[in-house]
């Protein structure tokens, strides 16, 4: 777990997995994947994400992660700035973590529509990154250069420190991310 970055406030913890390797539905986005770029640019990133992936397969992952989040002292957890829910069992571990920490807001974007997300607690928001009605908490789209968001979508300004629309808004969210 890391704490904040250039876009996310220091009150947000971030848990990442390796890009592409854990993303079964990345065929249409891996060519412009910002998470993959970070793995190539910074030598420490991929080993850290690989360690997280190994940890996530361990039966002690839930307990260790709960303790790490408490120690991190944050109010929000961004699951997968990089990576994806690679199995139902892994998803259920995050459900358990969120249930044990009801005062913390968890959120993630996903293309893993093979996962049954119906058991999510109120403090765990899942936003689909593929078009369709999946009964989740929102939809996210990526805008190509020069493309304008459809009506009803908030275009992301790129700074979660001043906007918490995706994880604090009540109801269904629709967000458009300009490709960067």
């Amino acid at each position: 777990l890391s704490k904040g970055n250039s876009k996310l406030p220091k009150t947000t913890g971030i848990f990442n997995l390796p890009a592409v390797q854990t993303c079964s539905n990345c065929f249409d986005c891996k060519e412009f994947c910002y998470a993959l770029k970070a793995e190539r640019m910074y030598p420490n990133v991929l080993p850290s994400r690989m360690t997280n992936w190994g940890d996530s397969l361990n039966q002690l992952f839930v307990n260790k992660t709960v303790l790490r989040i408490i120690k991190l002292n944050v109010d929000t957890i961004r699951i997968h700035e990089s990576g994806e829910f690679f199995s139902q069992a892994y998803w259920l571990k995050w459900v358990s973590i969120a249930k044990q920490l009801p005062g913390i807001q968890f959120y993630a974007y996903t293309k893993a529509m093979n996962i049954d997300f119906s058991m999510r607690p109120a403090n765990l928001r899942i936003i689909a990154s593929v078009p369709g009605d999946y009964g989740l908490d929102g939809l996210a789209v990526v805008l190509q250069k020069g493309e304008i968001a459809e009506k009803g979508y908030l275009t992301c300004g790129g700074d979660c420190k001043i906007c918490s629309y995706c994880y604090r808004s009540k109801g269904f969210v629709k967000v458009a991310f300009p490709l960067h």
Side-chain angles (χ1 to χ4, degrees), residues 2-16 34 74-82 107 109 156 158-167 177:
S2 60
K3 197 171 184 178
N5 61 25
S6 63
K7 296 179 183 179
L8 294 170
K10 295 291 184 199
T11 57
T12 298
I14 306 164
F15 183 85
N16 287 319
Y34 72 91
V74 293
D75 60 20
T76 306
I77 296 291
R78 164 78 189 268
I79 308 168
H80 304 149
E81 180 184 57
S82 170
Y107 74 107
Y109 303 90
C156 179
D159 190 350
C160 300
K161 294 172 186 166
I162 58 173
C163 174
S164 57
Y165 173 73
C166 295
Y167 53 94
F177 295 100

Side-chain angles (χ1 to χ4, degrees), residues 20 23-32 111 130:
V20 179
C23 305
S24 61
N25 297 325
C26 71
F27 45 86
D28 64 339
C29 58
K30 67 181 173 184
E31 67 208 39
F32 56 83
K111 289 185 176 189
V130 291

Side-chain angles (χ1 to χ4, degrees), residues 125 127 152-154 163-170 172-175:
R125 295 183 65 116
I127 300 169
Y153 279 80
L154 173 77
C163 174
S164 57
Y165 173 73
C166 295
Y167 53 94
R168 297 272 186 237
S169 296
K170 302 290 184 214
F172 194 80
V173 299
K174 294 170 91 174
V175 62

Side-chain angles (χ1 to χ4, degrees), residues 5-177:
N5 61 25
S6 63
K7 296 179 183 179
L8 294 170
K10 295 291 184 199
T11 57
T12 298
I14 306 164
F15 183 85
N16 287 319
L17 293 175
V20 179
Q21 296 172 60
T22 60
C23 305
S24 61
N25 297 325
C26 71
F27 45 86
D28 64 339
C29 58
K30 67 181 173 184
E31 67 208 39
F32 56 83
C33 176
Y34 72 91
L36 191 56
K37 289 178 194 173
E39 290 176 7
R40 292 179 181 143
M41 289 175 54
Y42 306 105
N44 295 344
V45 171
L46 182 57
S48 173
R49 292 175 180 175
M50 293 297 289
T51 297
N52 284 349
W53 192 12
D55 289 348
S56 75
L57 300 171
N58 188 300
Q59 68 185 58
L60 297 176
F61 176 71
V62 171
N63 292 337
K64 285 183 175 184
T65 302
V66 166
L67 292 174
R68 287 171 70 196
I69 291 170
I70 291 168
K71 186 176 180 180
L72 201 59
N73 192 29
V74 293
D75 60 20
T76 306
I77 296 291
R78 164 78 189 268
I79 308 168
H80 304 149
E81 180 184 57
S82 170
E84 181 60 274
F85 295 108
F86 56 84
S87 72
Q88 189 70 36
Y90 172 65
W91 156 250
L92 291 173
K93 290 178 181 182
W94 279 106
V95 168
S96 180
I97 292 164
K99 284 181 176 179
Q100 290 182 54
L101 298 167
I104 295 177
Q105 179 64 55
F106 294 78
Y107 74 107
Y109 303 90
T110 187
K111 289 185 176 189
M113 295 301 109
N114 58 317
I115 302 294
D116 176 2
F117 292 109
S118 63
M119 295 180 58
R120 65 190 183 282
N123 66 325
L124 176 47
R125 295 183 65 116
I126 301 296
I127 300 169
S129 294
V130 291
D133 181 6
Y134 301 100
L136 298 178
D137 302 301
L139 283 173
V141 297
V142 174
L143 300 174
Q144 301 300 318
K145 193 169 192 144
E147 190 177 8
I148 297 172
E150 290 181 29
K151 184 178 180 180
Y153 279 80
L154 173 77
T155 300
C156 179
D159 190 350
C160 300
K161 294 172 186 166
I162 58 173
C163 174
S164 57
Y165 173 73
C166 295
Y167 53 94
R168 297 272 186 237
S169 296
K170 302 290 184 214
F172 194 80
V173 299
K174 294 170 91 174
V175 62
F177 295 100

